[in-house]
Amino acid sequence: MQIIVVLNAGSSSIKFSLFAVAGEALQQECRGQIEGLFTSPHFVAKNMAGQVLAEKSWGEGVSLGHQGALQHLQDFLRQQQDGRTLIGIGHRVVHGGPNYARPVQMSAALLQELEAFVPLAPLHQPHNLAPIGMLLQAQPDLPQVACFDTAFHRSNPDLAQRFALPGKYFDAGVRRYGFHGLSYEYIASVLPQFDPQLAQGKVVVLHLGNGSSMCAIDNGRSVASTMGFTALEGLPMGTRSGVLDPGVVLYLMDHHGMDVRAIEKLLYQQSGLLGVSGISSDMRTLLDSDEPNAKLAVDLYLYRIRREIGSLAAAMGGLDALVFTAGIGENAAILRQRVCDDAAWLGVQLDTAANNSGGPRISKGDSRCSAWVIPTNEELMIARQTRAVLQGAG
Ligand code: ADP
């Protein structure tokens, strides 16, 4: 028997999953994380029934760092391995730059190449790469695979990847890359199970979570998405602004004395649902609140979704289905209802009872454009890609 471990390393946490390779199937056995890496580290691992398998806290003010956390995870995973062979580790890596349209097996040379994309995703890329470097040093023979959030969008036509800037900036990497690709690729891969015809159609997938974006998928391939050069563009998110007139940035620098770091903090951490509501970045809290600004934040979120659906449908020249996924998309029936009502002009007719019970199909049988709820599984996508690369089919 063989296993694959999936790692998703962020600035203050490392998330992990363990998959057993069972013939063609990949069976997720446990998942968990170490969070608060530099402040008050806490580790928890659960099985797929949600039962806690192991837990540990290091206390306030302790800095474990990525190295210490990785060490602890390895000790835990060795126990779980139970005599089976670890065939490789799959990593979520946010940025694969303009060329990587597929996952790749890591090497020291490739690590250096991917480090060149740190300026394009400074809040994610260095942390995604940290454990890869550490493991390359400690266990050079252990195969590692990088799975990119940008890769699925490399099928976008050239025009969808361009800003109207002088060509030298495009050549220097200032392009629309798109993100959440692992989630979209997973949805594209399971669509045939829900509706084989739809898998060849024109679909807008709404990945609505703390980070929110939307993707136009035509015949299984990404052709446009709402996120661009960074994961800031497009929809408002938990704390990110989404689309913004670039003139606002110039104005803030000129007239509010804000420098790059201050604007970065504003746009990444203080805007979106949190900034507009002044209450919370959490959709549940806003939906439960009677405060007018909570309502305003939800209304603005929905208004941007409504406009982006039109834009993505226009990019494809039609629309056959909407697919909702991620924390908000999978759980907030009231939001799905409002999005579908807003898209009635595109032929979406909601089946209210199906929507309230969570789908998977939430549109009426004779709806010209169907609507679905499909849970995403980025970890499984990484495990699949890792296996494919290690079997030489990547
Ligand atoms: P991330 O982008 O961090 O992976 P998730 O996909 O887990 O985020 O989504 C988190 C968001 O989902 C939060 O805004 C949370 O409020 C929202 N959410 C989760 N469950 C519900 C629910 N039942 N109703 C409304 N929103 C929900």
Side-chain angles (χ1 to χ4, degrees):
M1 278 284 268
Q2 299 175 324
I3 59 167
I4 290 173
V5 168
V6 170
L7 292 184
N8 180 358
S11 58
S12 65
S13 72
I14 301 183
K15 297 186 179 136
F16 72 93
S17 284
L18 187 152
F19 288 83
V21 183
E24 279 306 294
L26 286 163
Q27 199 71 45
Q28 190 167 7
E29 285 187 0
C30 68
R31 61 194 303 193
Q33 58 182 341
I34 301 188
E35 51 189 3
L37 293 187
F38 297 92
T39 48
S40 55
H42 176 75
F43 163 72
V44 64
K46 295 181 179 172
N47 65 17
M48 299 322 288
Q51 290 161 329
V52 174
L53 299 174
E55 200 165 11
K56 176 171 175 167
S57 285
W58 282 259
E60 280 296 320
V62 177
S63 176
L64 202 55
H66 287 91
Q67 183 94 51
L70 197 58
Q71 189 62 52
H72 184 78
L73 278 185
Q74 281 184 291
D75 293 344
F76 169 76
L77 290 167
R78 235 171 256 128
Q79 291 165 20
Q80 301 298 310
Q81 202 167 330
D82 204 16
R84 296 173 294 181
T85 309
L86 172 61
I87 60 168
I89 301 200
H91 297 267
R92 178 186 206 148
V93 176
V94 71
H95 224 299
N99 297 327
Y100 285 106
R102 311 281 321 148
V104 277
Q105 183 157 354
M106 289 303 304
S107 64
L110 182 58
L111 184 63
Q112 230 180 350
E113 200 182 316
L114 297 182
E115 275 165 357
F117 304 136
V118 165
L120 301 183
L123 305 182
H124 295 101
Q125 189 83 345
H127 312 296
N128 300 158
L129 298 181
I132 300 179
M134 290 167 192
L135 286 168
L136 275 174
Q137 286 236 317
Q139 289 175 260
D141 295 332
L142 175 64
Q144 300 189 70
V145 175
C147 304
F148 303 111
D149 258 317
T150 49
F152 187 58
H153 303 297
R154 298 286 59 75
S155 55
N156 285 8
D158 179 66
L159 288 182
Q161 302 195 48
R162 282 186 184 264
F163 296 111
L165 291 172
K168 66 177 180 181
Y169 295 106
F170 180 80
D171 297 340
V174 183
R175 308 171 178 207
R176 300 190 72 256
Y177 292 99
F179 298 88
H180 287 140
L182 293 161
S183 174
Y184 293 126
E185 192 167 354
Y186 174 78
I187 298 292
S189 77
V190 296
L191 260 184
Q193 294 163 26
F194 292 86
D195 185 338
Q197 219 183 334
L198 198 56
Q200 285 151 30
K202 299 179 191 305
V203 179
V204 167
V205 181
L206 300 91
H207 178 109
L208 308 179
N210 273 321
S212 291
S213 73
M214 293 161 58
C215 179
I217 299 181
D218 195 350
N219 195 15
R221 288 157 63 88
S222 167
V223 294
S225 78
T226 59
M227 280 180 170
F229 177 61
T230 65
L232 266 185
E233 202 193 349
L235 304 177
M237 311 180 204
T239 60
R240 284 173 254 167
S241 63
V243 72
L244 192 74
D245 175 350
V248 172
V249 174
L250 302 179
Y251 171 82
L252 293 177
M253 292 173 81
D254 235 2
H255 296 280
H256 286 251
M258 292 172 78
D259 64 8
V260 174
R261 293 284 87 81
I263 292 176
E264 180 179 84
K265 194 169 174 195
L266 172 71
L267 300 184
Y268 277 94
Q269 292 167 22
Q270 301 173 330
S271 298
L273 297 175
L274 174 66
V276 176
S277 70
I279 297 170
S280 174
S281 63
D282 194 299
M283 185 55 84
R284 271 169 301 201
T285 309
L286 299 182
L287 290 173
D288 286 345
S289 169
D290 294 328
E291 291 289 326
N293 284 341
K295 181 177 177 315
L296 178 65
V298 175
D299 287 350
L300 185 54
Y301 186 69
L302 284 160
Y303 175 73
R304 295 305 324 183
I305 291 174
R306 174 187 184 131
R307 287 190 51 175
E308 293 293 351
I309 288 177
S311 166
L312 295 175
M316 291 188 287
L319 184 66
D320 299 313
L322 297 176
V323 175
F324 293 88
T325 196
I328 297 171
E330 291 167 29
N331 297 298
I334 179 66
L335 242 103
R336 292 196 300 261
Q337 181 176 339
R338 290 181 61 184
V339 170
C340 289
D341 288 350
D342 283 347
W345 66 281
L346 284 162
V348 182
Q349 279 187 284
L350 189 75
D351 176 336
T352 309
N355 183 42
N356 290 339
S357 62
R361 185 179 166 125
I362 59 169
S363 53
K364 291 187 174 150
D366 58 351
S367 184
R368 184 156 47 82
C369 175
S370 60
W372 304 79
V373 181
I374 302 180
T376 194
N377 196 338
E378 292 153 293
E379 295 154 335
L380 177 57
M381 198 64 228
I382 295 170
R384 280 187 195 161
Q385 292 188 348
T386 300
R387 180 173 62 176
V389 168
L390 297 180
Q391 290 176 347

PDB file of all heavy atoms in Angstrom, residues 157-172:
ATOM      1  N   PRO A 157      -7.327  32.420 -23.613  1.00  0.00           N
ATOM      2  CA  PRO A 157      -6.769  33.042 -24.815  1.00  0.00           C
ATOM      3  C   PRO A 157      -5.877  34.228 -24.442  1.00  0.00           C
ATOM      4  O   PRO A 157      -6.018  34.809 -23.362  1.00  0.00           O
ATOM      5  CB  PRO A 157      -8.011  33.506 -25.580  1.00  0.00           C
ATOM      6  CG  PRO A 157      -9.174  33.345 -24.681  1.00  0.00           C
ATOM      7  CD  PRO A 157      -8.783  32.448 -23.559  1.00  0.00           C
ATOM      8  N   ASP A 158      -4.988  34.547 -25.349  1.00  0.00           N
ATOM      9  CA  ASP A 158      -4.015  35.626 -25.108  1.00  0.00           C
ATOM     10  C   ASP A 158      -4.698  36.912 -24.635  1.00  0.00           C
ATOM     11  O   ASP A 158      -4.246  37.558 -23.689  1.00  0.00           O
ATOM     12  CB  ASP A 158      -3.232  35.860 -26.407  1.00  0.00           C
ATOM     13  CG  ASP A 158      -2.215  36.965 -26.265  1.00  0.00           C
ATOM     14  OD1 ASP A 158      -1.264  36.780 -25.485  1.00  0.00           O
ATOM     15  OD2 ASP A 158      -2.395  38.023 -26.901  1.00  0.00           O
ATOM     16  N   LEU A 159      -5.806  37.264 -25.268  1.00  0.00           N
ATOM     17  CA  LEU A 159      -6.464  38.533 -24.926  1.00  0.00           C
ATOM     18  C   LEU A 159      -6.926  38.553 -23.474  1.00  0.00           C
ATOM     19  O   LEU A 159      -6.896  39.598 -22.825  1.00  0.00           O
ATOM     20  CB  LEU A 159      -7.671  38.778 -25.845  1.00  0.00           C
ATOM     21  CG  LEU A 159      -7.363  39.138 -27.286  1.00  0.00           C
ATOM     22  CD1 LEU A 159      -8.665  39.386 -28.057  1.00  0.00           C
ATOM     23  CD2 LEU A 159      -6.473  40.376 -27.350  1.00  0.00           C
ATOM     24  N   ALA A 160      -7.368  37.391 -22.967  1.00  0.00           N
ATOM     25  CA  ALA A 160      -7.866  37.329 -21.591  1.00  0.00           C
ATOM     26  C   ALA A 160      -6.729  37.483 -20.588  1.00  0.00           C
ATOM     27  O   ALA A 160      -6.967  37.721 -19.406  1.00  0.00           O
ATOM     28  CB  ALA A 160      -8.595  36.008 -21.359  1.00  0.00           C
ATOM     29  N   GLN A 161      -5.492  37.330 -21.052  1.00  0.00           N
ATOM     30  CA  GLN A 161      -4.350  37.394 -20.145  1.00  0.00           C
ATOM     31  C   GLN A 161      -3.639  38.744 -20.196  1.00  0.00           C
ATOM     32  O   GLN A 161      -2.610  38.936 -19.561  1.00  0.00           O
ATOM     33  CB  GLN A 161      -3.354  36.276 -20.480  1.00  0.00           C
ATOM     34  CG  GLN A 161      -4.002  34.895 -20.399  1.00  0.00           C
ATOM     35  CD  GLN A 161      -2.983  33.768 -20.357  1.00  0.00           C
ATOM     36  OE1 GLN A 161      -2.032  33.824 -19.594  1.00  0.00           O
ATOM     37  NE2 GLN A 161      -3.196  32.741 -21.150  1.00  0.00           N
ATOM     38  N   ARG A 162      -4.197  39.688 -20.975  1.00  0.00           N
ATOM     39  CA  ARG A 162      -3.487  40.964 -21.177  1.00  0.00           C
ATOM     40  C   ARG A 162      -4.158  42.139 -20.482  1.00  0.00           C
ATOM     41  O   ARG A 162      -5.382  42.221 -20.430  1.00  0.00           O
ATOM     42  CB  ARG A 162      -3.416  41.282 -22.673  1.00  0.00           C
ATOM     43  CG  ARG A 162      -2.349  40.491 -23.369  1.00  0.00           C
ATOM     44  CD  ARG A 162      -2.186  40.923 -24.802  1.00  0.00           C
ATOM     45  NE  ARG A 162      -1.211  40.066 -25.435  1.00  0.00           N
ATOM     46  CZ  ARG A 162       0.087  40.366 -25.567  1.00  0.00           C
ATOM     47  NH1 ARG A 162       0.545  41.526 -25.162  1.00  0.00           N
ATOM     48  NH2 ARG A 162       0.921  39.514 -26.114  1.00  0.00           N
ATOM     49  N   PHE A 163      -3.318  43.042 -19.989  1.00  0.00           N
ATOM     50  CA  PHE A 163      -3.775  44.379 -19.621  1.00  0.00           C
ATOM     51  C   PHE A 163      -3.422  45.296 -20.791  1.00  0.00           C
ATOM     52  O   PHE A 163      -2.485  45.004 -21.544  1.00  0.00           O
ATOM     53  CB  PHE A 163      -3.037  44.890 -18.375  1.00  0.00           C
ATOM     54  CG  PHE A 163      -3.292  44.088 -17.129  1.00  0.00           C
ATOM     55  CD1 PHE A 163      -2.287  43.313 -16.564  1.00  0.00           C
ATOM     56  CD2 PHE A 163      -4.532  44.113 -16.511  1.00  0.00           C
ATOM     57  CE1 PHE A 163      -2.517  42.581 -15.412  1.00  0.00           C
ATOM     58  CE2 PHE A 163      -4.765  43.377 -15.357  1.00  0.00           C
ATOM     59  CZ  PHE A 163      -3.757  42.609 -14.807  1.00  0.00           C
ATOM     60  N   ALA A 164      -4.120  46.415 -20.890  1.00  0.00           N
ATOM     61  CA  ALA A 164      -3.806  47.352 -21.980  1.00  0.00           C
ATOM     62  C   ALA A 164      -2.662  48.266 -21.548  1.00  0.00           C
ATOM     63  O   ALA A 164      -2.818  49.483 -21.417  1.00  0.00           O
ATOM     64  CB  ALA A 164      -5.051  48.147 -22.362  1.00  0.00           C
ATOM     65  N   LEU A 165      -1.503  47.650 -21.305  1.00  0.00           N
ATOM     66  CA  LEU A 165      -0.287  48.381 -20.937  1.00  0.00           C
ATOM     67  C   LEU A 165       0.723  48.181 -22.066  1.00  0.00           C
ATOM     68  O   LEU A 165       0.579  47.253 -22.865  1.00  0.00           O
ATOM     69  CB  LEU A 165       0.300  47.802 -19.637  1.00  0.00           C
ATOM     70  CG  LEU A 165      -0.485  48.036 -18.354  1.00  0.00           C
ATOM     71  CD1 LEU A 165       0.121  47.225 -17.205  1.00  0.00           C
ATOM     72  CD2 LEU A 165      -0.497  49.514 -18.000  1.00  0.00           C
ATOM     73  N   PRO A 166       1.762  49.006 -22.119  1.00  0.00           N
ATOM     74  CA  PRO A 166       2.801  48.775 -23.130  1.00  0.00           C
ATOM     75  C   PRO A 166       3.333  47.343 -23.035  1.00  0.00           C
ATOM     76  O   PRO A 166       3.459  46.792 -21.937  1.00  0.00           O
ATOM     77  CB  PRO A 166       3.888  49.794 -22.762  1.00  0.00           C
ATOM     78  CG  PRO A 166       3.145  50.888 -22.056  1.00  0.00           C
ATOM     79  CD  PRO A 166       2.021  50.216 -21.315  1.00  0.00           C
ATOM     80  N   GLY A 167       3.652  46.769 -24.188  1.00  0.00           N
ATOM     81  CA  GLY A 167       4.025  45.359 -24.290  1.00  0.00           C
ATOM     82  C   GLY A 167       5.165  44.936 -23.388  1.00  0.00           C
ATOM     83  O   GLY A 167       5.235  43.785 -22.946  1.00  0.00           O
ATOM     84  N   LYS A 168       6.076  45.852 -23.065  1.00  0.00           N
ATOM     85  CA  LYS A 168       7.251  45.460 -22.269  1.00  0.00           C
ATOM     86  C   LYS A 168       6.811  44.989 -20.869  1.00  0.00           C
ATOM     87  O   LYS A 168       7.491  44.152 -20.265  1.00  0.00           O
ATOM     88  CB  LYS A 168       8.266  46.602 -22.169  1.00  0.00           C
ATOM     89  CG  LYS A 168       7.807  47.818 -21.405  1.00  0.00           C
ATOM     90  CD  LYS A 168       8.937  48.845 -21.309  1.00  0.00           C
ATOM     91  CE  LYS A 168       8.474  50.069 -20.547  1.00  0.00           C
ATOM     92  NZ  LYS A 168       9.465  51.114 -20.427  1.00  0.00           N
ATOM     93  N   TYR A 169       5.675  45.493 -20.394  1.00  0.00           N
ATOM     94  CA  TYR A 169       5.230  45.046 -19.058  1.00  0.00           C
ATOM     95  C   TYR A 169       4.664  43.629 -19.131  1.00  0.00           C
ATOM     96  O   TYR A 169       4.863  42.830 -18.230  1.00  0.00           O
ATOM     97  CB  TYR A 169       4.201  46.028 -18.481  1.00  0.00           C
ATOM     98  CG  TYR A 169       4.814  47.383 -18.225  1.00  0.00           C
ATOM     99  CD1 TYR A 169       4.540  48.470 -19.061  1.00  0.00           C
ATOM    100  CD2 TYR A 169       5.706  47.575 -17.170  1.00  0.00           C
ATOM    101  CE1 TYR A 169       5.136  49.700 -18.854  1.00  0.00           C
ATOM    102  CE2 TYR A 169       6.303  48.806 -16.957  1.00  0.00           C
ATOM    103  CZ  TYR A 169       6.016  49.859 -17.797  1.00  0.00           C
ATOM    104  OH  TYR A 169       6.622  51.074 -17.597  1.00  0.00           O
ATOM    105  N   PHE A 170       3.963  43.326 -20.212  1.00  0.00           N
ATOM    106  CA  PHE A 170       3.479  41.958 -20.430  1.00  0.00           C
ATOM    107  C   PHE A 170       4.677  41.003 -20.478  1.00  0.00           C
ATOM    108  O   PHE A 170       4.704  39.965 -19.809  1.00  0.00           O
ATOM    109  CB  PHE A 170       2.682  41.884 -21.738  1.00  0.00           C
ATOM    110  CG  PHE A 170       2.137  40.517 -22.051  1.00  0.00           C
ATOM    111  CD1 PHE A 170       0.972  40.063 -21.434  1.00  0.00           C
ATOM    112  CD2 PHE A 170       2.791  39.678 -22.943  1.00  0.00           C
ATOM    113  CE1 PHE A 170       0.465  38.791 -21.722  1.00  0.00           C
ATOM    114  CE2 PHE A 170       2.284  38.410 -23.227  1.00  0.00           C
ATOM    115  CZ  PHE A 170       1.121  37.971 -22.608  1.00  0.00           C
ATOM    116  N   ASP A 171       5.697  41.405 -21.233  1.00  0.00           N
ATOM    117  CA  ASP A 171       6.896  40.564 -21.355  1.00  0.00           C
ATOM    118  C   ASP A 171       7.573  40.385 -19.999  1.00  0.00           C
ATOM    119  O   ASP A 171       8.202  39.366 -19.736  1.00  0.00           O
ATOM    120  CB  ASP A 171       7.892  41.176 -22.357  1.00  0.00           C
ATOM    121  CG  ASP A 171       7.292  41.237 -23.761  1.00  0.00           C
ATOM    122  OD1 ASP A 171       6.326  40.490 -24.021  1.00  0.00           O
ATOM    123  OD2 ASP A 171       7.776  42.044 -24.581  1.00  0.00           O
ATOM    124  N   ALA A 172       7.431  41.386 -19.123  1.00  0.00           N
ATOM    125  CA  ALA A 172       8.058  41.310 -17.798  1.00  0.00           C
ATOM    126  C   ALA A 172       7.166  40.558 -16.794  1.00  0.00           C
ATOM    127  O   ALA A 172       7.475  40.503 -15.607  1.00  0.00           O
ATOM    128  CB  ALA A 172       8.364  42.713 -17.284  1.00  0.00           C
TER     129      ALA A 172
END
